[in-house]
Amino acid sequence: MNVSLDKNNLITYSFIGIAALALFSFNQNSINKANATKLTPPVETETENNSVDDSAISVLQQNRPLRMSISVDNPSFLKVKLNQEIKKGDVISDNSTERDRLDKQKKSVKLQIDNLKSKVIPEPFKPTQALGLKPLPPAIFSEESAAIAQSKMKLSQAQGLLEARTQLLQTDNPERRAESENAEAGFQIASQKVAEQEQMIQSMRDMKLSTEILQHEEAKLKQLRSQLDQANSALDQSKAKLNASAINQQQELQQLQINVRLAQSDLEVAQSRLIAAQNRRQLTEYDANLNEARRQQQENQTQQEYSRQQQQYAQSVRDRDYQLAQLNISLTTVEDKLAQIPMLRSPRNGYIRRIKPWTGVNGKYTTTITISAAPAVSSKNGESDRSTNIVPSPNQSTHR
């Protein structure tokens, strides 16, 4: 930027005895970052009178026109118009389109950061320790064992009784046998007596004895025959008793044999009950082992699921932290880009008196604006104002 003092202003102030005025450096802090307008302080000139007070110089500095050389990428970056009144700090040039775009991008990144920070990642619930299955009571088969022992004892008793009675029951009853033999002997004696009496009567008939003797012997024969019938009846009764005794003995023997078989059957039932109880115990133990295996498998699956959830939780935390880091990098990048957008602000109050036509070189557009303390007026003599160019200091220029 070139700053110059108008010749007419120098003439106006020449009546106060100022031979020459120093051009002071006018360093403006209105440039935002690195690319902006080049602004250099005025060069101090030699004065004709070194006794001029500082207040007069300050008034002169404030009222003289200020020229600013502006270099931008696009003429639309210029935000002022000719004869526009501006205040100190007003924007003169700025890439507002890019700034707005980056501001929106910055807000979007900040919103994403806030959303990620507010997002709650639930921690996996640690499973409680599973209760183990109750142990099975000890296997006790005392009832079945007692039944087997009792059945064995009954079987032993039945077998002993059968062995003891078999020989006796397989022979005739001695009392009934003796009675039958006595009855048979009596029957034989009675039969012999009848036969002898009949023979004697026949002999007597052959001898033609008297009728009275024959009648007497025949009456005696009748008596003997009656005794024979009684002996025969007694023999039949004794035989019937002997047969009945034999039948009873046979039935008793069969009952004893049945008792042995029943005792054996009871023993087999008791043994089968013991085997059934043992099988049920084995089945119960198998079911208990199976349930324990299932419980262990379920517990292992629960632990595996908990480990998987822990890994997912850790991965989610890492992903969130990574996304936050990426977004923070993006936010820093956007802020850096915003900081690199040049913004030129007015260093003082005044009016835009002049804007030179744009000149473009290598994609850069350059112009010079003049800021004066008062609106532009035409001079009476028709002469145009002139300004002295001042080269800006390198540290006061901003480039985009």
Side-chain angles (χ1 to χ4, degrees):
M1 181 195 75
N2 296 323
V3 179
S4 64
L5 293 176
D6 188 271
K7 181 179 181 181
N8 293 331
N9 290 335
L10 291 176
I11 296 173
T12 301
Y13 289 100
S14 62
F15 70 91
I16 63 174
I18 299 175
L21 293 177
L23 297 178
F24 297 96
S25 175
F26 192 75
N27 187 13
Q28 304 296 335
N29 292 325
S30 60
I31 300 173
N32 189 13
K33 290 287 182 177
N35 183 21
T37 306
K38 299 178 181 179
L39 182 62
T40 56
V43 180
E44 184 178 352
T45 59
E46 294 182 355
T47 61
E48 295 179 356
N49 188 0
N50 292 330
S51 62
V52 178
D53 59 18
D54 293 338
S55 61
I57 296 175
S58 177
V59 172
L60 177 62
Q61 291 282 351
Q62 293 177 0
N63 291 330
R64 72 184 180 202
L66 175 65
R67 288 185 177 181
M68 301 178 67
S69 178
I70 301 174
S71 179
V72 294
D73 292 339
N74 194 312
S76 64
F77 293 176
L78 186 66
K79 304 302 179 183
V80 296
K81 298 180 180 179
L82 190 63
N83 296 326
Q84 176 183 342
E85 181 180 6
I86 60 175
K87 303 294 183 180
K88 183 177 180 179
D90 288 349
V91 177
I92 295 178
S93 67
D94 183 27
N95 187 357
S96 58
T97 302
E98 181 66 13
R99 187 178 299 278
D100 292 341
R101 186 185 70 81
L102 291 176
D103 282 336
K104 292 179 180 179
Q105 185 176 354
K106 180 180 178 180
K107 291 179 181 179
S108 175
V109 174
K110 283 186 175 181
L111 181 60
Q112 294 180 39
I113 292 175
D114 294 338
N115 289 336
L116 277 178
K117 288 182 177 180
S118 63
K119 181 180 179 181
V120 178
I121 302 177
E123 295 187 15
F125 179 74
K126 185 176 183 179
T128 57
Q129 185 68 26
L131 297 178
L133 298 177
K134 292 183 178 180
L136 293 176
I140 300 176
F141 306 102
S142 58
E143 183 177 355
E144 290 78 6
S145 300
I148 291 175
Q150 186 177 2
S151 298
K152 286 182 177 180
M153 182 181 65
K154 289 182 178 180
L155 177 60
S156 178
Q157 291 177 351
Q159 288 176 344
L161 184 59
L162 177 62
E163 291 176 359
R165 298 283 295 172
T166 297
Q167 185 176 2
L168 180 62
L169 292 176
Q170 286 179 348
T171 58
D172 293 335
N173 190 342
E175 183 180 356
R176 298 301 177 187
R177 171 61 63 183
E179 184 179 356
S180 177
E181 289 178 354
N182 290 332
E184 187 175 0
F187 176 75
Q188 293 293 336
I189 294 173
S191 297
Q192 185 177 2
K193 288 181 177 181
V194 169
E196 289 177 353
Q197 186 67 23
E198 288 178 348
Q199 185 178 5
M200 186 178 68
I201 291 174
Q202 185 64 36
S203 298
M204 291 176 70
R205 285 177 180 174
D206 293 336
M207 293 174 62
K208 297 182 179 182
L209 293 177
S210 63
T211 305
E212 293 81 2
I213 297 173
L214 290 174
Q215 290 178 350
H216 175 74
E217 293 298 330
E218 287 177 355
K220 187 176 180 181
L221 179 60
K222 289 180 180 179
Q223 185 178 2
L224 290 174
R225 286 179 176 174
S226 176
Q227 292 178 353
L228 178 62
D229 293 336
Q230 291 178 356
N232 188 23
S233 176
L235 178 60
D236 292 338
Q237 290 180 357
S238 64
K239 287 182 178 180
K241 289 181 180 179
L242 181 60
N243 292 331
S245 176
I247 292 173
N248 291 333
Q249 289 178 348
Q250 186 66 26
Q251 291 177 349
E252 183 180 357
L253 180 61
Q254 291 177 354
Q255 185 63 41
L256 291 176
Q257 293 174 347
I258 291 173
N259 291 339
V260 171
R261 288 195 294 270
L262 290 176
Q264 289 177 344
S265 178
D266 291 341
L267 177 60
E268 292 174 356
V269 170
Q271 291 174 344
S272 65
R273 287 178 179 175
L274 175 61
I275 295 174
Q278 292 174 345
N279 291 335
R280 287 195 300 270
R281 174 67 182 191
Q282 292 177 356
L283 182 60
T284 302
E285 291 177 351
Y286 173 77
D287 292 337
N289 294 332
L290 184 61
N291 292 333
E292 178 65 20
R294 289 174 178 173
R295 187 190 67 81
Q296 290 290 341
Q297 184 179 7
Q298 183 65 30
E299 186 175 354
N300 293 336
Q301 291 177 353
T302 302
Q303 290 294 333
Q304 291 176 359
E305 179 65 18
Y306 176 65
S307 300
R308 186 183 65 81
Q309 291 178 356
Q310 281 185 321
Q311 294 176 358
Q312 289 182 348
Y313 171 75
Q315 185 62 39
S316 299
V317 172
R318 288 194 296 270
D319 292 342
R320 184 187 62 181
D321 294 341
Y322 177 77
Q323 292 176 3
L324 283 174
Q326 292 293 107
L327 289 173
N328 285 324
I329 293 174
S330 300
L331 180 61
T332 303
T333 302
V334 172
E335 289 177 346
D336 291 341
K337 289 181 179 179
L338 278 171
Q340 292 174 3
I341 297 177
M343 177 185 290
L344 179 63
R345 297 182 181 272
S346 176
R348 56 186 258 185
N349 300 333
Y351 295 87
I352 303 300
R353 182 176 177 185
R354 181 182 298 175
I355 300 176
K356 286 187 175 182
W358 292 96
T359 59
V361 178
N362 296 330
K364 295 287 185 179
Y365 297 89
T366 304
T367 187
T368 301
I369 65 172
T370 302
I371 302 175
S372 64
V377 295
S378 300
S379 60
K380 294 181 179 180
N381 55 6
E383 295 181 358
S384 60
D385 296 336
R386 291 179 295 173
S387 301
T388 304
N389 295 330
I390 300 178
V391 180
S393 175
N395 58 0
Q396 294 172 336
S397 62
T398 306
H399 301 282
R400 186 180 186 276

